[in-house]
Amino acid sequence: MAQLPAGIRFLVSFSRDQWYRAFIFVLTFLLYASFHLSRKPISIVKGELHRYCAAANEDQLRLRSQSLKASAVPLRQLPDNETDCGWAPFDQDNYQQLLGALDYAFLCAYAVGMYLSGIIGERLPIRYYLTFGMLASGVFTALFGLGYFYNIHSFGFYVVTQIINGLVQTTGWPSVVTCLGNWFGKGRRGLIMGVWNSHTSVGNILGSLIAGYWVSTCWGLSFIVPGAIVAAMGIVCFLFLIEHPKDIACSSALRTHSKSCENGMHRVRLQKQTLPSEKKPLDPEMQCLLLPDGKRSVCQNHVIVLPGDGQSSMAAISFTGALKIPGVIEFSLCLLFAKLVSYTFLCWLPLYITRVDHLDAKKAGELSTLFDVGGIFGGILAGVVSDRLEKRASTCGLMLLLAAPTLYVFSTVSKMGLEATIAMLLLSGALVSGPYALITTAVSADLGTHKSLKGNSHALSTVTAIIDGTGSVGAALGPLLAGLISPSGWNNVFYMLMFADTCALLFLIRLIHKELSCSGSATGDQVLFKEH
């Protein structure tokens, strides 16, 4: 018998379960990347919605008109939907406030909707819920771009479109994180989710390039094309997304044998891992960071007491119940300020580059993608370091500590030339995006499968929504504050961002202290709850 080709041997070396996990990893990566792809155009198009006026005053207009008359060249008539200063109503002196209001409308709706989205999402099939959100998001993203073709200059039209789009996009994050959490266990979660979370930066990069291609010629297509892409990915989601390994008889991440018996009002389940090692040390995060009193909780003889009702373990967790999980409030408030910084860059960086480096909207959009390239490396680095140290809060704290002075250097160096701007974009992107990526993925999944939940797999969506929803409040405030502060000087915007990074670090101080004061490993017959 002939030997199998090397490529075939490589393919058959992976089990069926591994192939399905890889498929879900890639699919959810692409699904959420398309969400971010559809959010990026507004920041690219800002430079086109308000341009430098070709003629600043009446004297310039008069001289230009006389010159044209002398050369017998007729004065160019601007189209109805265009002025020398951009697109009405964004061609006025208060354009920064108006553009900031567009960002605030989207992000405020996103923040409010996120709290409801997690609660709704865990009560509906993920595939249907996510498909609806992606199709609706595609429609309203494209609707913004149709304002160009239908010559719409109503500020209210663009605000309402942003609000509805922000609401429907809240279906994305709780759904994809819950699905990924169902398929992957805790082992190397920081690395896996650090790589996976690069979908944020990949989506931003693709969105910048796609929107930048049409921004100077037909900015309406900068919204319509991304809208069509996210809607198409919604159809892919409906056809291919598998919510849970049990749906196709795949094994779970951690197998357990359990026996249960009922005695009065409680049901007692004896649960034991089938792993070869009987005495596996607990993750220090689980014993110190996520316990309210910092003490080890010993479950003697692997006994777990659950409510007597057989279905209660599958009941969806309440909002207040999720808030009581140790660590949820601290990480939520930290993410509020971390996301404030990240989304200020997301929404205002291209316009900042056009003003500081005097580039057109297309080139500024392309250059701004370097911030997202740095974000990819920052997210992966944060995941690897937190896995190795087994200290999520300390990893976030270190990157936040370095981010604040880096932002000050960026505000100073970026005015010295294009080369300095490129270097600082990469470094700032890594330090700003690292904590944001770690909290929204690995930390959320850790807390959503915390041992106090007694194996309730329905809690992950609500916990994820609470953390990201709180962070989205900061995401809404950041761009709004940048729009209000920037007329007084961009340096003041950077001071605001440095203050936000400092606040994010302060909210983690207690958790960092617990991590650093913890013994590092636990002994005894402690068994983690099964992760879902």
Side-chain angles (χ1 to χ4, degrees):
M1 178 182 293
Q3 186 179 14
L4 288 174
I8 299 299
R9 293 200 306 272
F10 173 78
L11 292 177
V12 299
S13 66
F14 297 98
S15 67
R16 171 179 176 270
D17 293 358
Q18 289 173 322
W19 278 115
Y20 270 114
R21 283 193 175 86
F23 172 74
I24 295 299
F25 182 94
V26 173
L27 179 60
T28 53
F29 181 99
L30 295 176
L31 292 178
Y32 205 73
S34 66
F35 271 112
H36 265 268
L37 181 149
S38 67
R39 297 176 193 175
K40 189 64 177 178
I42 183 66
S43 66
I44 303 299
V45 174
K46 281 179 181 177
E48 189 68 18
L49 293 178
H50 183 90
R51 301 191 304 268
Y52 283 120
C53 295
N57 51 54
E58 293 182 359
D59 292 333
Q60 287 178 316
L61 285 172
R62 191 182 303 110
L63 290 173
R64 180 168 174 258
S65 177
Q66 292 173 354
S67 175
L68 290 172
K69 287 180 180 179
S71 59
V73 177
L75 186 65
R76 181 177 74 92
Q77 297 294 325
L78 292 169
D80 293 337
N81 62 353
E82 186 179 354
T83 70
D84 276 330
C85 293
W87 182 273
F90 307 104
D91 57 346
Q92 305 300 318
D93 292 337
N94 65 337
Y95 72 97
Q96 289 171 310
Q97 287 81 2
L98 295 178
L99 294 174
L102 286 183
D103 295 329
Y104 182 76
F106 175 90
L107 294 169
C108 188
Y110 186 87
V112 173
M114 183 61 72
Y115 289 109
L116 300 175
S117 180
I119 298 173
I120 297 173
E122 65 186 20
R123 289 163 172 81
L124 296 175
I126 293 176
R127 183 166 62 95
Y128 297 151
Y129 187 56
L130 185 56
T131 298
F132 163 76
M134 299 189 77
L135 292 175
S137 177
V139 169
F140 286 100
T141 300
L143 186 62
F144 194 104
L146 290 176
Y148 174 87
F149 296 98
Y150 287 94
N151 198 22
I152 298 175
H153 296 277
S154 169
F155 181 66
F157 168 81
Y158 296 106
V159 169
V160 172
T161 302
Q162 287 286 85
I163 290 175
I164 300 177
N165 197 12
L167 289 174
V168 297
Q169 288 221 3
T170 60
T171 60
W173 188 246
S175 299
V176 294
V177 172
T178 300
C179 185
L180 198 72
N182 290 338
W183 279 90
F184 291 89
K186 186 175 175 61
R188 293 184 298 174
R189 178 177 278 168
L191 172 60
I192 292 172
M193 288 196 161
V195 174
W196 178 76
N197 194 67
S198 63
H199 57 55
T200 300
S201 299
V202 171
N204 289 340
I205 292 171
L206 292 176
S208 298
L209 296 177
I210 293 172
Y213 184 81
W214 283 288
V215 64
S216 299
T217 56
C218 180
W219 64 258
L221 290 177
S222 297
F223 290 90
I224 293 176
V225 173
I229 292 175
V230 71
M233 290 304 298
I235 298 175
V236 172
C237 170
F238 179 79
L239 295 176
F240 295 103
L241 184 66
I242 306 169
E243 300 178 19
H244 202 283
K246 67 182 181 182
D247 295 338
I248 53 171
C250 275
S251 63
S252 58
L254 179 62
R255 296 182 180 180
T256 61
H257 294 308
S258 63
K259 296 180 181 180
S260 61
C261 59
E262 294 190 5
N263 181 14
M265 297 178 60
H266 297 91
R267 176 167 51 88
V268 179
R269 181 171 66 196
L270 302 180
Q271 183 174 19
K272 192 172 183 179
Q273 293 181 355
T274 60
L275 297 176
S277 175
E278 290 293 336
K279 295 184 179 181
K280 181 179 179 181
L282 270 179
D283 183 349
E285 235 182 311
M286 299 298 291
Q287 63 170 335
C288 290
L289 172 59
L290 300 181
L291 292 179
D293 56 0
K295 299 178 181 179
R296 287 186 277 181
S297 175
V298 180
C299 301
Q300 296 291 341
N301 300 322
H302 312 285
V303 176
I304 303 169
V305 180
L306 299 176
D309 184 2
Q311 293 184 350
S312 63
S313 63
M314 297 300 293
I317 191 172
S318 66
F319 183 86
T320 55
L323 286 177
K324 293 178 182 178
I325 299 173
V328 168
I329 293 178
E330 289 93 336
F331 276 114
S332 297
L333 294 174
C334 172
L335 184 63
L336 186 151
F337 290 99
K339 207 167 182 180
L340 183 152
V341 178
S342 180
Y343 267 71
T344 301
F345 274 97
L346 175 69
C347 296
W348 286 96
L349 182 58
L351 185 62
Y352 171 76
I353 294 175
T354 60
R355 297 297 183 259
V356 174
D357 293 316
H358 305 292
L359 301 176
D360 59 32
K362 181 178 180 180
K363 292 181 180 178
E366 293 173 351
L367 186 62
S368 69
T369 61
L370 293 176
F371 181 85
D372 295 298
V373 173
I376 294 176
F377 292 103
I380 296 174
L381 178 63
V384 172
V385 172
S386 68
D387 278 345
R388 180 65 62 88
L389 300 179
E390 297 181 332
K391 290 174 171 54
R392 307 278 196 223
S394 301
T395 303
C396 292
L398 177 61
M399 299 188 82
L400 289 169
L401 184 64
L402 296 175
T406 301
L407 292 177
Y408 176 78
V409 175
F410 182 23
S411 66
T412 304
V413 172
S414 59
K415 301 174 184 178
M416 298 180 180
L418 194 59
E419 295 79 8
T421 300
I422 291 174
M424 293 309 302
L425 280 173
L426 292 170
L427 181 59
S428 299
L431 294 176
V432 168
S433 300
Y436 163 39
L438 187 62
I439 294 174
T440 54
T441 53
V443 170
S444 296
D446 288 346
L447 297 173
T449 55
H450 183 233
K451 60 190 300 183
S452 66
L453 297 172
K454 297 184 173 66
N456 185 352
S457 63
H458 290 271
L460 181 54
S461 181
T462 297
V463 171
T464 300
I466 289 174
I467 293 177
D468 198 53
T470 305
S472 297
V473 174
L477 290 175
L480 177 67
L481 292 175
L484 296 174
I485 297 173
S486 56
S488 65
W490 286 104
N491 282 340
N492 294 329
V493 175
F494 279 94
Y495 293 145
M496 181 265 291
L497 298 180
M498 287 183 278
F499 176 77
D501 259 331
T502 304
C503 291
L505 175 60
L506 291 177
F507 279 111
L508 290 183
I509 292 296
R510 187 182 69 87
L511 301 181
I512 293 173
H513 179 264
K514 278 192 174 184
E515 283 186 346
L516 297 180
S517 62
C518 141
S519 59
S521 64
T523 59
D525 296 331
Q526 295 173 295
V527 179
L528 292 178
F529 281 81
K530 176 180 176 182
E531 295 185 81
H532 296 267

